[in-house]
Amino acid sequence: MGSVLSDVAKVVQEKTQVRLHKRNIERVISAVMTTGDFWEIVDRSDLPVPAASEIVKELISREILFVDDRDNILLTQRGYDVAKELGIYEIPDYSCQACEGRGTPFYADKELYRTFVELAKDRPKAIQDFDQGSVTPETTVSRVLFIDSRGDLRGKDVIVMGAEDDLTGLAIALTRKANRVLIIDIDQRLIDFDNAIIKELGIDNAEAMVWDLRNPYSEDLLQKFDIFITDPPETFAAFRAFIGRGIATLRDEGCAGYFGLTLRDSSIFRWKEFQETLLNEYGVVITDIVQDFNDYMNWEYHPETRAAQIAPVKRNPSGIWYRSAWYRIETLPGFKVWNEPISDDVFYLDEEGSTT
Ligand code: SPD
């Protein structure tokens, strides 16, 4: 019986090319014990959508799961028997309801939170072109407070790169605590939105400008900052572009970078490659990983995505299901300044990514 998990992992890995192990299958079965909603199952399983989808389909074909007439995914009697025999249980969620599990409550600075929510209500909507999908206002404000609590905000020169759909750069500017804030993004709408607010509020140490991260930095951006913040799409090319460029903006050792990494568009095996790149190639250390820190609001273009098309059910997500871990890295002596052009246009989609 135990071999069923390994067998499903093998079959699904062959079909999807997403690397898997038997405990990934166990996590899906555990998730189904808690929720029938496919998108919540993806969330609780910590798996790329193509893998979670194909695992559910495979378990349906083996009569371990079934789909009811309201698109709920449920265990069959055989499924319960398999779970009992293999010792698979429901996994409880004890995360703090007040701080939403981040450990850094957004309401610690109520004024910043209220101002940000008021300004963000007119934000440009997330578009598919650049894999946009904004985090909740609670996430953005918690990011700022987290960064401040690590000593990475006050008096620091901060660059926010290619992720301004989250308005993290704007939120940092609103604190007026950094020495300088530079926001760069490929999307002119976001740059115009930020610059209008920056001007209206008379924030004179912040500016936003359009930049395509595939292009190498000019000298005025290289090694000029103390802190970078970004949120990369998760193909290897995109990771290299966003994080490599971020590190290249840092002026010396002891500087820090912040970014989100998700398991919804990349596997734990790819995380290993990302982490090896950080440690072995770029010469930085990972100081913090807060799992599920970043909550993303659902994006309107979801029905157009591969994720929606390969899902085992047609029902679209209703609650938050797409989350990412919040990483903090720190430069060590001899860290690498990487500033090559990026020609690879496989930027958003590959076998693991599907939400663009
Ligand atoms: N396309 C869905 C929204 C994805 C937002 N980007 C998340 C990147 C995590 N590193």
Side-chain angles (χ1 to χ4, degrees), residues 50-69:
S53 174
E54 207 53 54
I55 290 169
V56 167
K57 289 177 188 171
E58 184 65 26
L59 293 175
I60 290 171
S61 78
R62 292 176 188 234
E63 298 179 349
I64 290 172
L65 301 181
F66 73 104
V67 181
D68 74 7
D69 54 7

Side-chain angles (χ1 to χ4, degrees), residues 26 35 41 51 95 98 129 198 232 244 248 260 274 280 294 305 313 327 351:
E26 185 177 321
T35 177
I41 292 168
S95 58
D129 301 31
I198 287 166
F274 289 156
N280 301 334
N294 300 296
T305 61
V313 292
Y327 271 64
E351 67 282 3

Side-chain angles (χ1 to χ4, degrees), residues 241-253:
F242 281 65
I243 306 304
R245 292 262 191 275
I247 293 169
T249 67
L250 300 179
R251 50 171 53 107
D252 52 21
E253 61 260 29

